[in-house]
Amino acid sequence: MKILVVEDDKQTADFVVRGLKEHGHVVDLAMDGHDALMLANDGQYDVFIFDRMLPKLDGLSLLKVLRANGNATPTLFLSAMGTLESRVEGLEGGGDDYLAKPFAFSELLARVNSLARRPPINTTETVRQIGDITIDLIRRHVTRNGTVISLQATEFRLLDFLARHAGQIVTRTMLLEGVWDFNFDPKTNIVETHISRLRSKIDKGFERERIKTIRNTGYMLDDAA
Amino acid sequence: MMLPDFHATPLRLALTYMAVFALSVVLLSVITYRSVQQGLENQLRMHIATELEQLMIDYEEDGLDELRHDIAENIKGENPHRMVYTLVSPEGRMIFDRLATVPVQDGWHYIDDMHGNRFVVNKTSLKDGYHLVVGDDLKSLSALQASLRNNFIIALMATLALGTLGGVFISRRFINTVRIFEKTTRKVGRGDLSERLPVSASKGVFGDLADTINAMLERIEYLVGNMKQVASNIAHDMRTPLGHIRLRLETLERDLDGQPGQQEYCRETILMLDHSLEIFSSILRIAQIESGVRRAGFVRYDLSQSLSKILEAYRPVLEDRDIALEALVDPGIFFTGDEVLLSQAVVNLVENALVHAKGASRLVVSLARIESDIVLDIRDNGIGVADDKISQLTHAFFRSDESRSRPGNGLGLNLVSAIVQLHEGRLSFERADPGLAVRIAFAFDQS
């Protein structure tokens, strides 16, 4: 992927750029809003990563200008302000995701990958097929290899979220936001518990374990055939 | 008009004062009445004594017959207000006016006549063995006395009435002023340090008091604001360098690929750092909440639904720890507040039970409207908290001895307390015997 990173803090910038490059992405870096604007207008990027506090032109305003010019590149905001208001502000200002500093790189990577997939799967889809798992979105029905699996409402939503990001790592935070719409930090691992229950229904008794745990990062639904 | 609270000190004061005043009026009335009565009677007696003296002079000079003549003259006059005269023979026969009884001893007595009228009389023994009784009707006195008594009673009633009205009026004004003070200081106690007492509320002693208190509040607001600002600044300024350290540790961790032992060590270090970062985040959040700015973002939402969602998310987590969740949430309870903050508060309390309620097998969470309040109750049946520790629960960084080794930073309940206060609610902890009961009450949203 081609990614534009706009960050004025050198430590953070190095960290992000290096990490993304190690994962095989092509990365450009700008350290202020004006340079960023130039690069963004010239290049064709798959994802923008903008810090909110920037010299010359702040991240939010930068994106507003780009959006006004018809640039629809998915954008992740980074911010030292972790408040919910700033998150809402960022998302309403045209951003697609928002990450508070300090963050784990794996969190950043998972979200960037998720963003790059947008527009995601066909939203008019009524059935999702992940390997041998069939999810009927209308009837809220799940079968694996022909066997009907009955899921509770939360379990279904959880599976669907994983399915929408099949083949990609989703972090615990992404699941809390996407499945439960929780914006607080739980100390106990609710996600792990629910994943575990889901696993016992989806994976147990089947040859291939599709719900995978990625250490220190999150989970993934394996979409291999 | 509100009925005055009879236990209120100012009312008691007013009532006491009025009672003392009324008592003194009664006393004065009684004393006056009696002395007037006494005075009038004394006058009557003097009158009788004078008449008696006159009769005695005649008797001494001219003997019994002259006395009889004098008395007959007096009686003959048909004067309805004349005195009463009785001459008692040695055999006990009464001459002239008849009395019901004849007094034995010389001197003043009260006796009735044959018709039951009361008289004050003076009896004198005469040398001849006769007895002379001269007296006067007390009826003339009693009319005057009755009139006097009535006037005094009217005066007393008037005093009591005026006193009551005056007392109530004064005490109401007093109470109103005190109420204003109470309302303001309560708001301050809840955390709104910008509140001030209205100085126009009263002059004089109350005015001075208001000024003094306002000055004090001004100073407190400044100091606390300062302190909070410092804490905020520290937390904020620490996060950036700690954040940088975290990035470096992550980079290091990645570079240690192939050295699992070292990598794990590095990962653990990152977690320790995260713990510290979490403390700063909590401090900043609490500071932000206590500043009250988040009130601007309050929104009316379905509290029942929000709570149920959280509880259902935690149900399997609780079950995994063999804790049965009983969710008794009344549906359709709406509330105006910050959903994220309130959710965080609930989560903190549920997680507290999970982590600290050793031996708990049940967690009961209820949301209901009780009278004019919305009440959220969370109780477990675990080990509970000692009475002397309960008051410290919401203090920042408080960890009880049993919990010190468990996960957590001691700020969870401090955060809950700040959130509840922001929403003008009341947070209380009680022993559930066994276990701990946490109760949050909000005044019901009328809108």
Side-chain angles (χ1 to χ4, degrees):
Chain A
M1 270 198 286
K2 199 168 170 215
I3 303 176
L4 175 62
V5 175
V6 186
E7 171 65 70
D8 66 323
D9 176 56
K10 191 158 189 336
Q11 299 249 22
T12 310
D14 284 349
F15 176 70
V16 171
V17 171
R18 185 184 144 167
L20 290 172
K21 280 183 173 167
E22 277 175 14
H23 279 83
H25 301 297
V26 174
V27 187
D28 286 338
L29 174 68
M31 296 189 81
D32 68 64
H34 284 174
D35 284 347
L37 194 56
M38 259 187 354
L39 286 172
N41 281 329
D42 288 344
Q44 283 284 39
Y45 294 97
D46 296 298
V47 176
F48 287 151
I49 299 178
F50 290 172
D51 184 32
R52 278 195 62 179
M53 309 268 237
L54 295 171
K56 299 204 185 133
L57 183 65
D58 76 277
L60 206 57
S61 309
L62 167 64
L63 186 63
K64 281 198 173 120
V65 170
L66 290 169
R67 290 281 185 254
N69 288 342
N71 191 323
T73 310
T75 308
L76 172 76
F77 275 118
L78 298 176
S79 172
M81 305 181 277
T83 62
L84 194 67
E85 291 84 43
S86 29
R87 185 188 163 83
V88 166
E89 228 177 25
L91 297 179
E92 282 176 0
D96 300 278
D97 205 347
Y98 200 98
L99 198 53
K101 294 189 220 176
F103 52 83
F105 184 79
S106 53
E107 186 81 41
L108 177 74
L109 189 64
R111 287 173 186 259
V112 163
N113 284 337
S114 176
L115 277 186
R117 210 162 160 162
R118 299 177 186 225
I121 308 95
N122 184 354
T123 43
T124 59
E125 210 174 36
T126 55
V127 173
R128 280 202 239 289
Q129 191 75 40
I130 318 290
D132 56 350
I133 300 177
T134 312
I135 304 174
D136 183 337
L137 296 167
I138 308 289
R139 265 173 283 176
R140 308 222 115 202
H141 213 70
V142 175
T143 58
R144 184 170 179 182
N145 219 1
T147 317
V148 172
I149 301 174
S150 80
L151 295 178
Q152 290 178 348
T154 309
E155 291 165 345
F156 184 88
R157 283 203 315 271
L158 183 55
L159 179 64
D160 190 41
F161 190 87
L162 289 168
R164 273 184 276 141
H165 295 82
Q168 284 180 344
I169 301 175
V170 295
T171 61
R172 285 186 195 94
T173 324
M174 286 165 77
L175 284 166
L176 283 168
E177 288 165 12
V179 177
W180 283 277
D181 196 18
F182 282 170
N183 292 106
F184 50 77
D185 304 316
K187 299 276 179 310
T188 53
N189 205 340
I190 322 176
V191 176
E192 176 63 43
T193 309
H194 285 268
I195 289 277
S196 164
R197 302 254 161 141
L198 185 64
R199 254 198 194 117
S200 68
K201 292 189 175 176
I202 296 287
D203 280 345
K204 202 152 107 171
F206 293 93
E207 212 185 297
R208 189 198 211 101
E209 270 182 16
R210 286 196 179 269
I211 298 177
K212 298 205 183 304
T213 302
I214 316 298
R215 253 182 70 112
N216 297 327
T217 310
Y219 306 93
M220 184 178 78
L221 187 64
D222 183 1
D223 63 347
Chain B
M1 172 174 140
M2 212 173 46
L3 266 181
D5 173 9
F6 286 102
H7 295 291
T9 310
L11 189 66
R12 268 220 299 268
L13 209 66
L15 282 176
T16 310
Y17 181 72
M18 207 193 61
V20 168
F21 187 58
L23 198 68
S24 43
V25 169
V26 167
L27 220 62
L28 187 70
S29 304
V30 166
I31 291 171
T32 311
Y33 177 75
R34 292 193 80 133
S35 35
V36 166
Q37 184 187 34
Q38 201 70 39
L40 285 173
E41 198 180 299
N42 282 348
Q43 244 188 348
L44 207 62
R45 287 191 185 193
M46 256 173 55
H47 205 205
I48 297 170
T50 310
E51 179 70 13
L52 183 65
E53 204 184 306
Q54 194 62 46
L55 290 172
M56 287 307 289
I57 288 172
D58 282 351
Y59 172 72
E60 302 272 312
E61 276 182 9
D62 301 322
L64 195 62
D65 285 332
E66 182 57 29
L67 181 64
R68 285 181 121 156
H69 173 74
D70 278 348
I71 292 175
E73 283 293 318
N74 285 343
I75 289 177
K76 205 167 44 169
E78 295 288 350
N79 177 6
H81 296 299
R82 68 169 178 83
M83 288 193 245
V84 72
Y85 304 88
T86 307
L87 204 55
V88 186
S89 73
E91 300 84 41
R93 193 165 49 92
M94 276 192 258
I95 310 157
F96 301 113
D97 292 316
R98 298 259 194 258
L99 302 171
T101 54
V102 178
V104 174
Q105 286 179 326
D106 282 359
W108 294 98
H109 300 273
Y110 293 103
I111 48 172
D112 297 336
D113 69 359
M114 304 304 270
H115 305 285
N117 299 316
R118 188 140 265 246
F119 292 84
V120 58
V121 302
N122 188 297
K123 177 183 105 64
T124 317
S125 308
L126 300 177
K127 287 198 296 266
D128 302 289
Y130 279 74
H131 302 278
L132 176 61
V133 182
V134 181
D136 206 346
D137 193 348
L138 287 173
K139 212 181 351 190
S140 60
L141 220 62
S142 56
L144 192 64
Q145 281 175 2
S147 158
L148 210 64
R149 191 174 55 233
N150 288 343
N151 284 339
F152 274 131
I153 287 174
I154 289 170
L156 186 65
M157 300 250 142
T159 308
L160 285 174
L162 284 172
T164 309
L165 281 174
V168 167
F169 177 69
I170 289 173
S171 74
R172 262 167 64 89
R173 288 203 53 191
F174 186 84
I175 287 173
N176 281 343
T177 308
V178 172
R179 285 260 161 82
I180 291 173
F181 273 54
E182 188 199 15
K183 204 167 76 159
T184 307
T185 50
R186 181 173 297 170
K187 276 195 194 160
V188 171
R190 284 255 169 88
D192 191 352
L193 290 176
S194 60
E195 277 289 323
R196 294 288 179 271
L197 290 169
V199 185
S200 61
S202 52
K203 319 274 182 287
V205 132
F206 274 129
D208 289 344
L209 186 61
D211 283 339
T212 310
I213 292 180
N214 280 346
M216 181 184 78
L217 291 175
E218 196 79 32
R219 181 119 184 92
I220 293 176
E221 191 183 16
Y222 169 72
L223 287 172
V224 171
N226 227 24
M227 201 170 65
K228 285 187 181 166
Q229 195 55 44
V230 168
S232 264
N233 290 346
I234 290 176
H236 196 267
D237 290 350
M238 287 301 289
R239 281 178 65 181
T240 313
L242 287 179
H244 286 166
I245 291 172
R246 196 189 190 284
L247 317 172
R248 286 170 159 249
L249 283 172
E250 277 210 353
T251 308
L252 196 59
E253 189 193 18
R254 273 209 303 277
D255 290 347
L256 286 171
D257 243 347
Q259 297 172 72
Q262 316 281 62
Q263 210 179 30
E264 184 57 32
Y265 193 75
C266 199
R267 173 55 27 188
E268 282 164 10
T269 310
I270 293 174
L271 289 175
M272 287 162 65
L273 188 59
D274 280 344
H275 184 79
S276 300
L277 281 166
E278 176 59 37
I279 291 178
F280 287 123
S281 289
S282 295
I283 291 175
L284 283 173
R285 284 190 86 185
I286 292 172
Q288 194 203 25
I289 290 167
E290 284 179 349
S291 73
V293 298
R294 293 200 67 135
R295 269 202 202 98
F298 277 11
V299 151
R300 191 168 149 80
Y301 72 100
D302 190 338
L303 182 59
S304 307
Q305 209 175 63
S306 175
L307 180 63
S308 297
K309 207 171 69 160
I310 296 171
L311 293 179
E312 289 320 304
Y314 273 90
R315 189 181 289 275
V317 183
L318 289 161
E319 277 170 9
D320 280 356
R321 306 263 179 110
D322 294 321
I323 301 175
L325 172 68
E326 217 179 300
L328 306 165
V329 179
D330 283 354
I333 295 180
F334 278 75
F335 188 65
T336 302
D338 187 315
E339 184 171 1
V340 173
L341 286 182
L342 287 169
S343 301
Q344 181 76 68
V346 170
V347 163
N348 278 12
L349 291 172
V350 171
E351 292 193 326
N352 248 32
L354 265 171
V355 174
H356 301 293
K358 219 161 76 164
S361 63
R362 201 177 69 239
L363 185 71
V364 182
V365 181
S366 64
L367 179 71
R369 269 210 280 280
I370 297 180
E371 290 172 3
S372 61
D373 286 346
I374 294 175
V375 179
L376 171 65
D377 195 284
I378 297 175
R379 54 184 68 209
D380 64 75
N381 62 351
I383 195 174
V385 175
D387 275 334
D388 57 335
K389 297 276 167 39
I390 280 192
S391 60
Q392 298 178 6
L393 279 174
T394 59
H395 293 179
F397 301 111
F398 170 74
R399 312 296 306 281
S400 71
D401 293 325
E402 297 84 22
S403 300
R404 217 172 285 277
S405 52
R406 307 242 187 91
N409 56 21
L411 285 175
L413 289 179
N414 192 235
L415 186 62
V416 171
S417 171
I419 292 171
V420 170
Q421 239 181 22
L422 181 73
H423 289 84
E424 293 182 5
R426 299 183 303 282
L427 175 66
S428 58
F429 299 90
E430 260 172 26
R431 283 176 48 167
D433 282 325
L436 180 71
V438 184
R439 182 165 268 235
I440 298 176
F442 298 109
F444 180 56
D445 219 10
Q446 299 295 351
S447 51

